Amino acid sequence: MKRSTLNVTFAIGFFATAIAILVARANPASSYEASIYTGTPTITWIAFAFALAIAASTALTCRGREQAYGIALGGTTVTAIVSLPTIRNYRFSGMGDALTHLGWTRDIIDGALAPHELFYPGFHAISTVFHYVGGVPIERGMLFVVAIAFLPFVLFVPLVVREMGGNGMAIGVAAIVSWMVLPINNIATHMGIHTNSNALFLVPVVIFAFLAYLRRRATIERLPFGLSPFSLLIYITGIGLLFMHPQQMINVVVLIAAVTGVQYLARRRYDDHPMLDHPTTYAHTAVLGVIFTAWAASNARFRGAVEGLISGVFAEDVGGSAEVDQAEASLGEVGGSLGELFVTMFLDLALVSLAVGLFILLVWLGRTRLDPETKSFVNYFAIALIPLTGMFFIYFVGTPTMAFRQIGFIAVILTILAGVGIARAIDALSGAITVPGGTAVAALLLGACLVLGLMTVFSSPIIYNPGQHVSDQKFSGYESTMEYGDEDIPLVGMGYDPYRYDHGINGVEGQESLSAATTASGTVEPDEFEEGNFSGAYGGVSYNFIVTEFDTTREIEVYQELHHSEAALAALEKDSGTNKVVSNDEFRMYNVQGDD
């Protein structure tokens, strides 16, 4: 294709992305959205799809500057998709950990907490900068940080593959696979304000610094004490990752330690090998390990997590198998299945894992034409997957949530290896048919996986998990409840404990928070509630019962009245011992008299 034609094509692609953003911005969310996919105008998705089609095709077929333009177009488009809650003016997004992070950020701004007192203060500190410098609300500043933290992922994954020695096809494939956002699984990693997940997107930055140290011989630019600039870059990026979330930092330490072990064995076994030309990483493993230990060992939250993991490993019915059985039973009751959910949420990751696994096997069998140095880098990552996968199984037995977070980190490594591995498969296919034919087949398969990956990057009813959009009405309802409610009366939700909103509104450290006051919180007992025994549905005591649009969407529409029914809510309205005290379009709070 002529350069002038390509320039026009790229201009059209960027124009399509701009149109998509403008249309989305012109149609803000005015009420709770169970799915950001259906809430966003159709023309926005059409424009995004058009831009991604141009980006994917040019990333595979072009080289040099034109390929960079295609990758930039795709990265910009996917970042815009990830930023839709901000673009469409969500008040806030996230109803679990996100609200606690909001509370910590509020504590920092109010002076109740110093950033260094948090175990992972990076996200919160950057959010405060937006609040102070930009003058934006705290909630919006945190949504900005989500988009900023994501950007390094789509930028550095193709750079890492290039640093490994990957050819133009490998760089293009790596970019497309990064647009699938494989680290997000919506079980323990989420696209939103979730520092463990946000940290995953910074991992390629540390890996890039690590590969730059291995490949580039810094002699003239040596710093004092013989320190390489690239070594310093590893330490700086590693500390940045530590401040975002320590779990991903320890994964990086394990990765570099595995490389250190491979280097040690290579030096004992071989007299001539490309790995022998790489500078050693012994010091980096030790320094990063010491930094992590010094930061984590003194933190009570870290010690508690380790104790919970150890007790979970040796306890019965705590591990992942128990949770899987419970989830399978619940899905069956609402007409779903684990198989269906797996295809929706993990098919693209499974296919990429299979492709990478076959590629590694061929590398170890000597059936690829990789140059020696690229093969060394592939072996580094492949061998590092062994201890990283071992950590997954330990987590799975002891703390299943941590196991799925570990899958998120493994997905980052698989995304990088997929660039090299799938590119080799395309080259082989092109040799069997034709280059245009092989590229076309690859584009179709990668495009299908890209669509599936972006369909599940946000939670929605399609994965039996309605979106966690916090609208103005819902936030206002909780603010009124926290401000005017009786602190001696428990706040009780319908399958959702309201204490997280207390974190977000009052802060986590404040004396007026539920954790510091006498007010308890929890959820009603579904069986008692459904039988109409509202007064006895929370231990027989009087309580304030909260129902939001999210609750009714989840319990009635998505869960199909598995735990709570519309009839029970209608009966609550007529109950003589119940009074509605706060109400708007998306929030209702009832004072329910107890048996006492």
Side-chain angles (χ1 to χ4, degrees), residues 50-201:
F50 184 73
L52 284 174
I54 293 175
S57 59
T58 52
L60 291 177
T61 58
C62 296
R63 299 293 178 265
R65 180 182 301 176
E66 286 75 20
Q67 184 184 50
Y69 290 154
I71 293 174
L73 173 60
T76 302
T77 303
V78 174
T79 302
I81 293 173
V82 166
S83 306
L84 277 175
T86 307
I87 295 171
R88 299 196 57 242
N89 204 32
Y90 274 25
R91 170 68 180 269
F92 195 67
S93 181
M95 294 170 50
D97 288 352
L99 286 168
T100 300
H101 292 306
L102 172 60
W104 277 324
T105 306
R106 197 179 300 280
D107 287 332
I108 293 173
I109 291 173
D110 293 341
L113 181 72
H116 68 271
E117 293 177 320
L118 273 177
F119 191 27
Y120 32 85
F123 191 101
H124 316 82
I126 300 173
S127 299
T128 61
V129 172
F130 276 105
H131 175 71
Y132 281 124
V133 177
V136 300
I138 304 173
E139 301 91 341
R140 190 158 185 82
M142 297 183 77
L143 291 177
F144 285 155
V145 179
V146 172
I148 292 171
F150 175 76
L151 191 58
F153 186 71
V154 293
L155 176 62
F156 277 89
V157 165
L159 289 178
V160 167
V161 172
R162 188 184 70 170
E163 198 69 16
M164 290 175 64
N167 57 20
M169 179 64 76
I171 295 170
V173 171
I176 296 172
V177 177
S178 73
W179 304 339
M180 300 175 192
V181 201
L182 297 180
I184 298 301
N185 54 49
N186 278 304
I187 295 177
T189 57
H190 308 275
M191 182 52 69
I193 302 166
H194 189 250
T195 54
N196 194 296
S197 306
N198 305 132
L200 289 170
F201 302 132

Side-chain angles (χ1 to χ4, degrees), residues 149-161 178 183 198-211 237 241 252 255 381 409 411-413 415-416:
F150 175 76
L151 191 58
F153 186 71
V154 293
L155 176 62
F156 277 89
V157 165
L159 289 178
V160 167
V161 172
S178 73
N198 305 132
L200 289 170
F201 302 132
L202 303 181
V203 170
V205 182
V206 186
I207 293 177
F208 177 81
F210 181 63
L211 292 182
T237 56
L241 185 62
V252 167
L255 172 67
F381 287 119
F409 185 88
V412 175
I413 306 302
T415 299
I416 293 169

Side-chain angles (χ1 to χ4, degrees), residues 217-234:
R217 314 296 185 253
T219 54
I220 299 176
E221 304 106 340
R222 287 281 177 181
L223 299 174
F225 308 106
L227 183 65
S228 163
F230 302 118
S231 292
L232 185 61
L233 190 60
I234 294 173

Side-chain angles (χ1 to χ4, degrees), residues 268-479:
R268 287 180 61 91
R269 181 173 180 180
Y270 300 109
D271 295 325
D272 182 22
H273 193 279
M275 291 182 183
L276 304 184
D277 296 328
H278 294 158
T280 59
T281 57
Y282 307 145
H284 305 85
T285 302
V287 171
L288 291 178
V290 168
I291 291 173
F292 172 82
T293 303
W295 180 261
S298 61
N299 188 277
R301 185 181 179 89
F302 172 76
R303 293 195 300 270
V306 173
E307 292 171 2
L309 173 62
I310 295 173
S311 63
V313 168
F314 295 100
E316 294 182 2
D317 298 328
V318 175
S321 59
E323 293 200 7
V324 169
D325 292 340
Q326 182 179 0
E328 185 174 18
S330 299
L331 282 170
E333 293 188 53
V334 298
S337 68
L338 276 181
E340 170 197 344
L341 200 59
F342 175 84
V343 169
T344 305
M345 298 175 64
F346 290 104
L347 179 60
D348 50 354
L349 178 58
L351 292 175
V352 169
S353 301
L354 178 61
V356 170
L358 291 175
F359 169 65
I360 292 173
L361 179 61
L362 292 174
V363 170
W364 288 351
L365 293 175
R367 302 295 298 272
T368 63
R369 298 180 181 178
L370 292 176
D371 65 85
E373 187 162 42
T374 302
K375 187 181 294 185
S376 297
F377 289 127
V378 170
N379 282 324
Y380 283 152
F381 287 119
I383 294 173
L385 285 173
I386 297 174
L388 291 170
T389 304
M391 292 171 65
F392 160 77
F393 286 112
I394 294 174
Y395 288 143
F396 190 78
V397 173
T399 312
T401 298
M402 300 288 280
F404 283 97
R405 291 180 178 181
Q406 187 70 9
I407 288 179
F409 185 88
I410 293 172
V412 175
I413 306 302
L414 293 175
T415 299
I416 293 169
L417 289 174
V420 182
I422 295 177
R424 301 305 301 176
I426 295 174
D427 289 341
L429 182 61
S430 298
I433 47 178
T434 62
V435 172
T439 304
V441 171
L444 289 174
L445 293 176
L446 290 172
C449 288
L450 178 58
V451 170
L452 183 59
L454 292 176
M455 278 176 54
T456 55
V457 73
F458 292 108
S459 58
S460 69
I462 195 175
I463 57 174
Y464 301 94
N465 186 16
Q468 296 193 357
H469 169 207
V470 181
S471 64
D472 286 326
Q473 295 95 321
K474 186 190 298 184
F475 211 90
S476 174
Y478 273 107
E479 284 179 322

